[in-house]
Amino acid sequence: MTTSKEFSACVAHYDPDALPVAAAQDIVRQWAMPRTRDAQIERVGLHDALGRVLAEDVISPIDVPAFDNSAMDGYAFASEALSRGASALDLAVAGTALAGRPFTTAPGANQCVRIMTGALIPPGCDTVVPQELVTREGDAIRFSSAAVRAGQNRRLAGEDLAKGKPALLAGRIVRASDLGLLASLGIGEVAVHKRLTVAFFSTGDELRSVGETLSPGSLYDSNRYTLFAMLKRLDVETIDLGIVRDDRASLEKALRQATESADVVISSGGVSVGDADFTRELMNSLGDVAFWKIAMRPGRPLAFGRLWSGERAGTGRSALFFGLPGNPVAVMATFYFIVREALLAMSGATRQPLAVIRATAAGPTKKRAGRTEFQRGIATRDDDGRWSVVTTGPQGSGVLSSMSEANCFIVLEHARGDIDAGDDVDIVPFDGLI
Ligand code: AMP
Ligand code: MG
């Protein structure tokens, strides 16, 4: 477990008032360690394994395929027949091999076996000539010896997965193909990491929950819903702690409760410079928390560190803490580009880099060098297969509709200045993200 001193040392190299996104990501990466205790592992059946993180390598207990079999519908024969030098081969059909119904005797030197895809290659045979390259008359076939090479159209035992070799590695997030693959090995149960538990709440006296009436100056809390949705997509357990008023006692209660019950605590709002000093004071009394101004837009203010549930920092249960900014778009941008990787790492997953596509900017965009900007974009694929992207309308960090309108983030790197139409830009598609 990292200590307060280590935290300060880790954070001290950076200027908290102008932290580049990459530096923030680095620090978070160092702090987001997978939980390694045995108690964090459980065994689940195949259906329940989808989307979970494998806790152990899966070693193949069998060869897949388990036997040499045909890759085509055609005729199996011994390739020696090809080396006799004749330009055409004439073979007699000795029988038929079907998938699940093998032909068990070796055919003679001038014989072959009618074979269907997936059927066991009969003894003595090593090659399959596809049926469309053959002329058949009664029980005889003829084909050009140039039609096929020795060993062709045969799937070898263990070619897909070899017995004793790892089929899937620990840290993998189980996908559809993996479920099929596990089934193909006859495995019905796997060891996975227990789901991470993430507690979250919103802060702000102005916030109302859905179902309440808005009074002048109040607004509905949307962050708890976007956070819930983004967390669900990462397959973590969520604890919604509601709206917390802007006062020390309420915040302290929420933070303690969250730290008692979760591996990670995420709040939104209340971390900008203007916010009451009690936030800062309180977080420092409950743990090691650094307040950053990240050189990113949206998402400049952010608090990050470790909280403890005990009387003092270093006592009781601990949880990683992310204090996200209040603005709804900033919550989403900081979640995807700062928090996401930490949650995956703590879940035991190997790194899952976001898919980045190179696109052409359809129009000019103002961009200030010295910060990373995550603009909302609409990307389309041109007839020639290139992606081009336009920004959605107003890019204010409170304009949540820009996220619903967009289908990607346009990532404008730290050092970059204004963008001209026709420039290359990186986009991160929302598909699979949102
Ligand atoms: P803050 O970071 O607390 O200063 O909040 C910045 C802006 O985001 C303010 O305009 C807040 O009203 C707004 N905001 C904060 N939390 C939420 C929330 N949960 N849902 C919607 N808007 C919010
Ligand atoms: Mg606030």
Side-chain angles (χ1 to χ4, degrees):
M1 186 63 59
T2 36
T3 64
S4 164
K5 230 187 227 157
E6 283 167 304
F7 182 72
S8 317
C10 170
V11 170
H13 302 296
Y14 302 94
D15 174 1
D17 284 332
L19 193 65
V21 171
Q25 287 168 332
D26 251 8
I27 297 174
V28 170
R29 205 170 285 142
Q30 287 174 49
W31 277 72
M33 289 298 154
R35 302 158 304 158
T36 46
R37 280 169 289 141
D38 280 353
Q40 305 292 1
I41 293 173
E42 59 189 344
R43 298 193 71 82
V44 296
L46 285 194
H47 288 149
D48 293 327
L50 186 64
R52 303 293 298 273
V53 180
L54 289 181
E56 293 167 1
D57 292 352
V58 174
I59 307 297
S60 181
I62 54 170
D63 275 333
V64 177
F67 49 89
D68 292 2
N69 68 86
S70 179
M72 303 286 268
D73 292 346
Y75 296 85
F77 65 102
S79 60
E80 268 157 34
L82 291 170
S83 50
R84 290 182 210 142
S87 63
L89 289 185
D90 290 292
L91 301 175
V93 181
T96 303
L98 302 174
R101 299 192 34 202
F103 182 82
T104 50
T105 48
N110 290 314
Q111 289 186 318
C112 64
V113 176
R114 171 82 174 124
I115 193 164
M116 306 308 273
T117 306
L120 183 105
I121 301 275
C125 299
D126 61 1
T127 304
V128 174
V129 58
Q131 61 187 16
E132 52 281 11
L133 301 181
V134 161
T135 48
R136 178 163 179 168
E137 259 171 51
D139 273 347
I141 61 164
R142 160 174 279 244
F143 58 95
S144 154
S145 55
V148 65
R149 274 177 288 112
Q152 258 186 331
N153 305 315
R154 176 183 51 159
R155 299 185 192 130
L156 295 174
E159 171 181 291
D160 188 357
L161 296 165
K163 182 176 173 175
K165 291 270 160 54
L168 294 171
L169 297 179
R172 180 168 181 90
I173 300 176
V174 177
R175 303 189 201 162
S177 59
D178 303 332
L179 280 199
L181 190 146
L182 290 164
S184 77
L185 298 176
I187 294 175
E189 218 184 58
V190 283
V192 296
H193 289 281
K194 284 198 174 151
R195 287 195 179 93
L196 203 66
T197 304
V198 181
F200 60 96
F201 58 86
S202 298
T203 67
D205 288 339
E206 76 281 25
L207 301 178
R208 297 291 177 272
S209 288
V210 174
E212 293 177 347
T213 314
L214 286 185
S215 50
S218 64
L219 60 131
Y220 287 119
D221 171 8
S222 57
N223 290 343
R224 259 162 59 230
Y225 289 87
T226 26
L227 277 172
F228 166 82
M230 295 187 292
L231 289 167
K232 277 291 159 204
R233 292 295 288 261
L234 289 183
D235 203 27
V236 301
E237 301 283 356
T238 55
I239 303 176
D240 182 343
L241 293 176
I243 296 171
V244 173
R245 300 290 152 217
D246 284 320
D247 67 72
R248 187 183 163 117
S250 311
L251 187 59
E252 176 162 2
K253 188 162 159 255
L255 286 171
R256 277 194 196 282
Q257 196 185 342
T259 309
E260 284 286 357
S261 50
D263 303 300
V264 178
V265 179
I266 302 178
S267 67
S268 73
V271 289
S272 23
V273 184
D275 285 298
D277 287 340
F278 68 78
T279 314
R280 215 168 268 256
E281 229 181 79
L282 180 61
M283 289 186 190
N284 284 329
S285 77
L286 292 178
D288 315 309
V289 176
F291 285 77
W292 292 338
K293 287 189 198 122
I294 304 188
M296 91 181 248
R297 185 189 162 107
R300 196 159 113 93
L302 192 139
F304 171 69
R306 188 178 291 287
L307 297 175
W308 298 86
S309 65
E311 282 312 306
R312 286 168 291 106
T315 65
R317 274 201 60 160
S318 89
L320 212 60
F321 171 69
F322 293 91
L324 306 185
N327 274 310
V329 183
V331 165
M332 297 195 79
T334 48
F335 184 90
Y336 285 123
F337 294 98
I338 308 282
V339 182
R340 173 187 172 274
E341 191 182 323
L343 299 186
L344 288 168
M346 290 181 75
S347 300
T350 49
R351 271 181 91 172
Q352 312 281 319
L354 292 170
V356 179
I357 295 174
R358 184 61 49 84
T360 308
T365 304
K366 287 259 169 253
K367 157 76 171 64
R368 209 178 73 196
R371 69 181 181 205
T372 307
E373 293 194 12
F374 298 93
Q375 301 194 344
R376 273 70 71 207
I378 300 172
T380 46
R381 197 155 173 262
D382 304 336
D383 290 341
D384 61 4
R386 284 238 2 134
W387 287 92
S388 68
V389 64
V390 289
T391 51
T392 59
Q395 294 288 312
S397 58
V399 187
L400 193 52
S401 61
S402 70
M403 286 296 295
S404 290
E405 201 188 325
N407 64 4
C408 64
F409 279 114
I410 308 171
V411 183
L412 303 176
E413 305 86 346
H414 191 86
R416 211 147 171 192
D418 289 343
I419 311 296
D420 291 325
D423 283 357
D424 274 351
V425 290
D426 280 344
I427 59 172
V428 174
F430 284 172
D431 219 15
L433 191 79
I434 302 293

